[in-house]
Amino acid sequence: MTKPVNGFSKLNKTEKINWLAENYLNNNDTAVSVLKQYWNDNNDLQKLHDEFIENTVSNFYLPLGLAPNFLINGKYHVLPMAIEESSVVAAASKAAKFWNERGGFKATVIDTKKIGQVHFLFRGDFSRLDQLVTNIKPKLREAVKPITRNMEKRGGGILDIELIDKTEKLENYYQLFVKFDTRDSMGANFINSCLEKFAEVLQEEARKNPDFTEDEKNIQVIMSILSNYVPECTVRAEVSCPVDQLSEDENMSGEEFAEKFIQAVKIAEIEPYRAVTHNKGVMNGIDAVVLATGNDFRAVEAGVHAYASRNGQYTSLTHAKIEDGIFKFWMEIPLALGTVGGLTSLHPLVKLALDILQRPSASELMEITAVAGLAQNFAALRSLTTTGIQQGHMKMHLMNILNQNKATDKEKEELVEFFTHHTITHSSVMEQLKKIRS
Ligand code: MEV
């Protein structure tokens, strides 16, 4: 059995890989060369990547694709999308093309407040705690001045500090519930630094308070941390057009399409099994842009899904209706994004992705990202309710099989043509490839 390792982080990269090969990969040279083939020859770039995280042994590549022709609030954008799943970029591009012929996407930021909490235990009289928090609010704000000064210069800072009584749910549990405006930064470090200072001041002021009993003086801070649930940092994305303009061919009228599409959305609104897959499609678009722009997709995912269950049942993020002959399709979602700080100035591809998007503000990036999600959901529902999803997927699957079997460009051309009229399965592709090769 493999023994635990001590001092692993102190080993250099080659030593780490050798340890891994010896202990977990049967000293397999191929495994080692797989790890090493992703090292970058540019030492500076490699060093940068090595230092993003700890115990780095290689780089894990994701494709970066472009979805052009996104008309958003009257301006064209090319969306950089980092994603491993085939069809997503194609679907986004198709939806963009469809809607730019029908007035494009509209997007509006509703609010940009972010939230952080100091979670603490207080054993004593609530009204006296309440009085203390009211009295020390100016001190709390003053104590974080060194942290907030620059943010305030940019128009952001602390918006509100509130005491919340949670003792009905958990004995002695209270929060300082703080709202922040972090401008163009995601603001996690800023928020957490402010919260930790608040916690310190709160404890100190309680300890010094002559009106408090000994128990009351002893506030126990459990933790201070931002919340990734940001229902007040939301953006709306929408599209609309006359119903009769929705039809693209004679097989289905605009009315038929709209009705079926709206039913599909309604199913996701009331049926959690479907809602999760429906929203997964939305997140295909959102995550790809969030990743490409160096934002925290885990935070976005957690916040968006919490928002989708805010009324007690997990439901669709998107909605659709027909009003006075106009088809309307929209979504409101929370998105805490940044365009300065974090990876945005460090990762060369992230910097480039933001250049491609013409250096957006955080609010503009919220709008663009929400549109990517709405477009993705539109494309998915459009396929699902008309041709079915497999038609497009199998085309990509065909290319994957051909690439795996090292098909030449000529073979690819011939087989793509053949499978326009035949059903794609792994065995049918292999059979046909064998036929043309013999
Ligand atoms: C696949 O990645 C996403 C879809 O399943 C989304 C959906 O079903 O709406 C196609």
Side-chain angles (χ1 to χ4, degrees), residues 326-337:
I326 305 288
F327 169 79
K328 297 185 176 177
F329 179 50
W330 74 98
M331 168 173 78
E332 274 178 27
I333 48 156
L335 278 179
L337 301 178

Side-chain angles (χ1 to χ4, degrees), residues 160-204:
D160 187 39
I161 307 170
E162 204 188 335
L163 173 69
I164 310 268
D165 181 350
K166 288 274 175 180
T167 53
E168 263 184 30
K169 295 244 163 100
L170 186 65
E171 208 180 356
N172 304 322
Y173 169 41
Y174 298 87
Q175 300 171 357
L176 286 185
F177 191 90
V178 189
K179 291 187 183 167
F180 297 86
D181 178 348
T182 63
R183 299 275 99 185
D184 285 335
S185 67
M186 199 271 187
N189 280 333
F190 169 75
I191 294 175
N192 291 336
S193 302
C194 289
L195 293 171
E196 288 188 4
K197 194 76 198 161
F198 287 159
E200 216 179 283
V201 173
L202 175 70
Q203 277 182 311
E204 199 179 295

Side-chain angles (χ1 to χ4, degrees), residues 28-143:
N28 181 334
D29 284 346
T30 316
V32 170
S33 60
V34 167
L35 284 171
K36 290 192 173 173
Q37 77 178 336
Y38 286 98
W39 287 9
N40 200 294
D41 290 340
N42 174 342
N43 280 339
D44 290 341
L45 186 65
Q46 188 51 60
K47 191 165 178 298
L48 185 73
H49 275 260
D50 288 350
E51 289 173 2
F52 282 146
I53 62 163
E54 310 74 37
N55 294 343
T56 314
V57 287
S58 189
N59 304 305
F60 195 100
Y61 291 178
L62 277 184
L64 177 71
L66 295 178
N69 301 327
F70 265 90
L71 183 58
I72 305 173
N73 296 339
K75 209 171 124 191
Y76 278 103
H77 293 271
V78 183
L79 305 199
M81 301 178 82
I83 185 158
E84 86 300 344
E85 185 177 334
S86 57
S87 301
V88 169
V89 177
S93 310
K94 235 170 133 182
K97 186 162 182 292
F98 182 94
W99 283 106
N100 81 31
E101 288 158 7
R102 291 163 180 80
F105 293 84
K106 288 186 189 61
T108 331
V109 166
I110 299 163
D111 209 343
T112 56
K113 291 192 191 85
K114 296 185 181 148
I115 292 187
Q117 296 158 303
V118 177
H119 304 268
F120 65 94
L121 302 185
F122 171 78
R123 293 171 185 84
D125 181 59
F126 170 71
S127 60
R128 290 220 293 260
L129 174 65
D130 194 30
Q131 191 58 55
L132 175 83
V133 172
T134 307
N135 291 346
I136 67 169
K137 273 186 193 172
K139 264 195 187 147
L140 290 170
R141 284 177 182 271
E142 194 51 40

Side-chain angles (χ1 to χ4, degrees), residues 10 61 95 122 254 281 285 309 316 336 349 365 404 431-432:
K10 304 275 183 315
Y61 291 178
F122 171 78
S309 4
S316 169
L349 274 178
L365 185 59
Q404 274 158 17
E431 195 180 309
Q432 214 47 39

Side-chain angles (χ1 to χ4, degrees), residues 395 398 415-424:
K395 261 193 217 153
L398 168 64
L415 289 177
V416 166
E417 162 58 23
F418 178 85
F419 281 105
T420 319
H421 321 287
H422 295 84
T423 308
I424 301 166

Side-chain angles (χ1 to χ4, degrees), residues 85-86 88 274 276-282 284 376-377 380-381 384 389 393:
E85 185 177 334
S86 57
V88 169
R274 174 56 202 153
V276 172
T277 318
H278 178 99
N279 291 347
K280 188 274 184 187
V282 173
N284 276 345
Q376 208 64 48
N377 186 233
L381 293 187
L384 286 166
I389 207 78
H393 272 196

Side-chain angles (χ1 to χ4, degrees), residues 118-355:
V118 177
H119 304 268
F120 65 94
L121 302 185
F122 171 78
R123 293 171 185 84
D125 181 59
F126 170 71
S127 60
R128 290 220 293 260
L129 174 65
D130 194 30
Q131 191 58 55
L132 175 83
V133 172
T134 307
N135 291 346
I136 67 169
K137 273 186 193 172
K139 264 195 187 147
L140 290 170
R141 284 177 182 271
E142 194 51 40
V144 293
K145 270 271 170 291
I147 311 168
T148 57
R149 197 163 290 129
N150 274 339
M151 191 62 87
E152 279 165 9
K153 272 189 207 145
R154 305 201 317 252
I158 288 150
L159 302 174
D160 187 39
I161 307 170
E162 204 188 335
L163 173 69
I164 310 268
D165 181 350
K166 288 274 175 180
T167 53
E168 263 184 30
K169 295 244 163 100
L170 186 65
E171 208 180 356
N172 304 322
Y173 169 41
Y174 298 87
Q175 300 171 357
L176 286 185
F177 191 90
V178 189
K179 291 187 183 167
F180 297 86
D181 178 348
T182 63
R183 299 275 99 185
D184 285 335
S185 67
M186 199 271 187
N189 280 333
F190 169 75
I191 294 175
N192 291 336
S193 302
C194 289
L195 293 171
E196 288 188 4
K197 194 76 198 161
F198 287 159
E200 216 179 283
V201 173
L202 175 70
Q203 277 182 311
E204 199 179 295
E205 291 299 319
R207 214 176 298 123
K208 285 195 324 211
N209 189 341
D211 298 336
F212 272 11
T213 64
E214 280 314 302
D215 270 352
E216 288 171 338
K217 282 184 178 170
N218 195 16
I219 281 183
Q220 195 182 352
V221 171
I222 304 298
M223 59 193 158
S224 309
I225 185 78
L226 93 169
S227 172
N228 291 124
Y229 185 44
V230 282
E232 289 182 70
C233 185
T234 46
V235 53
R236 181 184 166 95
E238 59 197 300
V239 282
S240 62
C241 75
V243 170
D244 55 14
Q245 283 181 18
L246 285 169
S247 171
E248 281 213 298
D249 57 49
E250 63 287 353
N251 294 331
M252 204 182 225
S253 73
E255 282 76 13
E256 276 172 296
F257 171 80
E259 265 158 37
K260 213 167 164 198
F261 187 98
I262 291 169
Q263 281 305 325
V265 175
K266 283 198 173 134
I267 290 170
E269 283 171 344
I270 57 108
E271 164 54 52
Y273 280 96
R274 174 56 202 153
V276 172
T277 318
H278 178 99
N279 291 347
K280 188 274 184 187
V282 173
M283 299 315 287
N284 276 345
I286 291 184
D287 281 339
V289 176
V290 168
L291 258 174
T293 56
N295 278 282
D296 183 343
F297 67 93
R298 287 85 57 209
V300 167
E301 282 278 345
V304 167
H305 296 297
Y307 190 77
S309 4
R310 68 195 179 285
N311 296 323
Q313 179 181 306
Y314 192 88
T315 183
S316 169
L317 292 164
T318 59
H319 307 282
K321 66 176 175 191
I322 298 173
E323 208 171 60
D324 302 329
I326 305 288
F327 169 79
K328 297 185 176 177
F329 179 50
W330 74 98
M331 168 173 78
E332 274 178 27
I333 48 156
L335 278 179
L337 301 178
T339 53
V340 299
L343 275 195
T344 57
S345 54
L346 279 178
H347 195 299
L349 274 178
V350 168
K351 274 200 254 178
L352 190 75
L354 290 168
D355 284 344

